[in-house]
Amino acid sequence: MQWETVIGLEVHVQLATHSKIFSGASTAFGAEPNSQACAVDLGLPGVLPVLNEQAVAMAVQFGLAVHADIAEVSVFDRKNYFYPDLPKGYQTSQMYHPIVGPGEVEITLDDDTTHRIRIHHAHLEEDAGKSLHEDFHGMTGIDLNRAGTPLLEIVSEPDMRSAKEAAAYLKAIHSIVTYLGISDGNMAEGSMRCDVNVSVRPKGQEAFGTRAEIKNVNSFRFVERAIAFEVERQIELIEDGGKVVQETRLFDPERDETRSMRTKEEANDYRYFPCPDLLPVVLDQAYLDHLRSQLPELPAEKRERFQQALGLSAYDASVLSASRDMAEYFEEVHRVCGDAKQAANWVQGELSGALNRENLSIANSPVTAGQLGELVQRVLDDTINGKAAKEVFQGLWHGEGTSADAIIEAKGLKQVTDTGAIEAMIDQVIADSPAQVAQYCDAEPEKRGKMIGYFVGQVMKASRGTANPQQVNGLLKEKLDALL
Amino acid sequence: MALEDSHVRRAAHLARIAVSDDQASGFVEDLSRILDMVDQLQGVDTDGVAPLAHPLDATQRLRADEVTETNQRDTFQRCAPAVENGLYLVPRVVE
């Protein structure tokens, strides 16, 4: 039987506020345990939450970026459950009136096809603390620094049909939140994690199959692997006459499998009710208009502009717009050198190669966009040839000079375009190579084109690589053919 | 719903509240009256009435995103039964 996979994602994005969603404690990562957990975060008696305006603004910015309806009135609810890293006994979340309503995200797959993935809603909530299960004399250690950190939970519709689409969707969300600057998107530090809902159904069937939810998947690669395993498991189960049960599963990256955590029978009843400590959040049109006017150009718009206005290929445009750092770097190189295609080639070629080799992100590149732009400009205006340009790039990379011009000067890489100087070098080479000249003259005319390579090499060597290769070629041919 | 003495004792135990035998019977009566009132509320026809998020006719005030709290871990941990390396210790949690 032909099976179809149905996937929906719940993505938790940690918002990049300085303080927590309901308290003035810091959200900085990596502090001493419990040094950033204040009375509100600890749920001590008598404390009251006060909502962080920046968390609200960031949620709205996301909503605007995915063309969602923003709720004029949104309400916080209490999600009640008992766990020691949740000292209040409930998580403040938004169940019935989330701040961001239905929207959509466009994803692009490797084969350049685009798909629209609908977003059901996105809501604000607080993160819980962290339980450390290492052995503390048979007890569990609790660090509440993360408790109260603002999260935006983005819930998609079950619109994805393959692991690749799910990964592309996650990347699209990552790219939107980092462009907006509302999250650092650092998956390794848990700034972005996702729960994956997966089910299968016979191809052509309308009704969805029973789904399993895979919790806490924290990398793009793991999303694909977890889904691949889970789809296989469900199909095998059904084909063997079994039934998928609705349950929560955990992905184990080391064993590359998902394992059952709890089934629906044991599922919690969260007893949601409106939080009496928080009033409804009301946003007016002027506020939304203001935030809309502050939105940066988003990845999809950038990709479109790189293709349409700058004439880049779909592939180049999508690579260069994937992250905001990459896009800004490329645009600066382009601004300085004036040639989009060359700028794209250098950023994706020489620069990306060097960054990959040393495992650096583009934000930490030792060569600035301005320096690279100037270097490309010197190639375009024929100051240096392509070979010298690579040498200048290495010079900039290793800090041998602060600008392309300084390195060109210091290393004497300036291209020789003075015809007289090149002719003198050619004359010398011809005079020094009587045997090769004789061979050239005796050869069949169609073979001479290849034979000229030897002379070009000699002239380039004589110029220490600085002669303009096209000029050398043309002049050599003239002079050699004159000897026939 | 009729409450019994045992319900009150169990709730008191879970909430770690000391309740004497004399007090317990009084609580049975008081709490039962509250539950009766809830029953009464549930009898009201609320079809077509929008749920009320908050009884106050006001909207949420927002605060600026500034860190205003300092580290008071030592003070907070003085009332914790067990701490180590800055962590609160609780009976082991098994998933």
Side-chain angles (χ1 to χ4, degrees), chain A residues 84-327:
Chain A
D85 59 24
L86 186 77
K88 290 190 300 183
Y90 59 85
Q91 177 192 32
T92 306
S93 180
Q94 296 185 309
M95 178 67 180
Y96 301 107
H97 301 283
I99 186 159
V100 175
E104 64 177 28
V105 171
E106 191 174 275
I107 60 167
T108 308
L109 300 181
D110 287 348
D111 61 4
D112 264 353
T113 57
T114 58
H115 303 255
R116 284 179 194 286
I117 309 296
R118 290 170 302 154
I119 286 176
H120 181 272
H121 79 272
H123 65 258
L124 279 169
E125 63 184 26
E126 60 182 339
D127 209 343
K130 228 184 212 161
S131 300
L132 301 156
H133 297 288
E134 296 103 71
D135 195 11
F136 294 99
H137 334 290
M139 301 185 81
T140 293
I142 305 289
D143 177 7
L144 296 168
N145 279 351
R146 205 180 60 185
T149 298
L151 298 178
L152 184 66
E153 178 172 339
I154 304 156
V155 181
S156 84
E157 294 284 357
D159 282 357
M160 288 152 272
R161 296 289 174 268
S162 68
K164 288 240 175 303
E165 284 184 26
Y169 168 78
L170 192 58
K171 279 181 191 154
I173 296 286
H174 183 267
S175 156
I176 290 170
V177 300
T178 50
Y179 261 75
L180 290 172
I182 63 173
S183 175
D184 64 19
N186 188 330
M187 297 186 91
E189 287 176 9
S191 302
M192 216 172 124
R193 4 189 234 275
C194 85
D195 300 341
V196 190
N197 285 296
V198 185
S199 66
V200 296
R201 62 180 173 191
K203 219 175 169 93
Q205 178 183 304
E206 186 100 6
F208 291 131
T210 306
R211 67 166 195 263
E213 181 180 13
I214 312 167
K215 280 272 180 208
N216 263 330
V217 187
N218 63 358
S219 86
F220 298 119
R221 215 154 33 93
F222 290 173
V223 166
E224 285 199 57
R225 277 165 50 187
I227 293 172
F229 173 86
E230 185 57 22
V231 166
E232 195 81 0
R233 186 188 72 86
Q234 293 186 12
I235 292 174
E236 249 173 58
L237 188 64
I238 299 170
E239 290 187 339
D240 288 349
K243 251 187 166 166
V244 176
V245 290
Q246 189 170 339
E247 64 180 350
T248 305
R249 299 179 70 86
L250 202 65
F251 177 64
D252 178 347
E254 266 156 44
R255 296 167 67 175
D256 218 1
E257 61 175 29
T258 65
R259 280 199 301 277
S260 181
M261 272 174 75
R262 55 174 181 259
T263 56
K264 187 73 184 166
E265 282 77 28
E266 307 157 30
N268 291 308
D269 172 4
Y270 292 118
R271 309 191 313 282
Y272 280 100
F273 65 87
C275 181
D277 287 346
L278 288 159
L279 291 156
V281 179
V282 177
L283 306 174
D284 61 24
Q285 196 54 46
Y287 176 76
L288 301 186
D289 290 344
H290 170 72
L291 285 180
R292 197 190 306 273
S293 73
Q294 310 275 308
L295 285 184
E297 187 182 32
L298 291 160
E301 296 157 9
K302 250 197 215 303
R303 192 172 59 233
E304 182 74 14
R305 182 168 59 81
F306 285 178
Q307 265 182 274
Q308 300 307 325
L310 303 183
L312 296 185
S313 71
Y315 177 79
D316 286 355
S318 106
V319 171
L320 293 169
S321 63
S323 82
R324 188 170 174 169
D325 285 343
M326 175 74 107

Side-chain angles (χ1 to χ4, degrees), chain A residues 3-14:
Chain A
W3 295 94
E4 185 176 53
T5 308
V6 176
I7 302 161
L9 257 57
E10 292 165 20
V11 183
H12 294 84
V13 174
Q14 184 177 316

Side-chain angles (χ1 to χ4, degrees), chain A residues 329-360:
Chain A
Y329 193 104
F330 161 71
E331 290 194 275
E332 178 64 10
V333 174
H334 173 225
R335 192 187 64 77
V336 174
C337 80
D339 185 312
K341 189 63 203 158
Q342 285 296 323
N345 286 347
W346 275 86
V347 171
Q348 288 176 91
E350 208 67 18
L351 179 74
S352 293
L355 291 170
N356 285 344
R357 269 195 300 281
E358 304 206 6
N359 209 3
L360 287 171

